């Protein structure tokens, strides 16, 4: 397997995977598999997100859509990405009312960014926030 950490497309000139990687910052890893005598795999990728400070409490101002309530508000910070199936309980959806989340921390914190992960399936009316 060959991979890149700079968003470029990997090839045989890229770094060859031989040892476990230590990832310390949010990073996009692109990779492909090659074997002599075989066609190479397609290039795939995985986004690694450095998890920061989770809120001590969360509160939804508006409830989720009755069909897509997920597993509750704390799933929003459990660091688990849902599958591509929007009917899975890993997803929460908002349609009639806006998604508004109140977060608080017991101690003062400094935030540089907030990352929101979402599922987009426009043919099923699941669109980006």
């Amino acid at each position: 397997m060959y991979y890149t950490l700079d968003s470029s497309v990997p090839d045989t000139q890229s770094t060859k995977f031989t040892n476990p990687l230590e990832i310390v910052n949010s990073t996009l890893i692109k990779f492909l598999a090659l074997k002599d005598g075989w066609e190479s795999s397609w290039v795939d990728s995985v986004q690694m997100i450095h998890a920061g400070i989770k809120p001590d409490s969360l509160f939804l101002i508006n409830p989720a859509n009755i069909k897509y309530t997920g597993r509750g508000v704390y799933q929003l910070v459990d660091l688990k990405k849902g599958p591509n199936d929007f009917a899975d309980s890993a997803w929460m959806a908002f349609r009639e009312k806006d998604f508004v989340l109140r977060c608080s921390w017991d101690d003062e914190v400094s935030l540089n960014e907030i990352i929101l992960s979402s599922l987009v399936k426009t043919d099923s009316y699941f669109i980006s926030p």
Side-chain angles (χ1 to χ4, degrees):
M1 288 185 60
Y2 293 88
Y3 67 94
T4 61
L5 303 175
D6 62 0
S7 296
S8 63
V9 177
D11 57 25
T12 56
Q13 304 303 309
S14 302
T15 306
K16 187 174 184 177
F17 180 78
T18 56
N19 294 308
L21 297 175
E22 180 178 353
I23 306 294
V24 295
N25 294 314
S26 296
T27 305
L28 176 66
I29 304 171
K30 289 189 176 184
F31 54 91
L32 84 148
L34 298 169
K35 182 175 179 171
D36 288 339
W38 290 70
E39 196 173 310
S40 70
S41 72
W42 61 87
V43 174
D44 205 348
S45 64
V46 63
Q47 178 71 52
M48 306 299 290
I49 304 293
H50 179 262
I53 305 165
K54 290 184 186 180
D56 293 308
S57 66
L58 300 170
F59 179 75
L60 282 171
I61 303 300
N62 298 316
N65 178 282
I66 193 72
K67 288 175 60 177
Y68 307 104
T69 59
R71 295 185 309 272
V73 70
Y74 283 93
Q75 86 174 59
L76 297 172
V77 295
D78 69 3
L79 304 178
K80 296 178 182 173
K81 177 77 172 171
N84 284 334
D85 177 9
F86 59 80
D88 187 281
S89 66
W91 291 106
M92 186 179 286
F94 295 81
R95 182 173 178 175
E96 294 79 14
K97 296 185 178 184
D98 292 340
F99 168 68
V100 181
L101 179 67
R102 179 180 295 153
C103 304
S104 64
W105 289 261
D106 293 338
D107 298 316
E108 186 174 323
V109 298
S110 176
L111 300 176
N112 295 324
E113 65 181 346
I114 296 174
I115 297 172
L116 178 65
S117 178
S118 65
L119 176 66
V120 176
K121 286 188 170 271
T122 55
D123 59 332
S124 298
Y125 299 101
F126 283 86
I127 57 175
S128 183

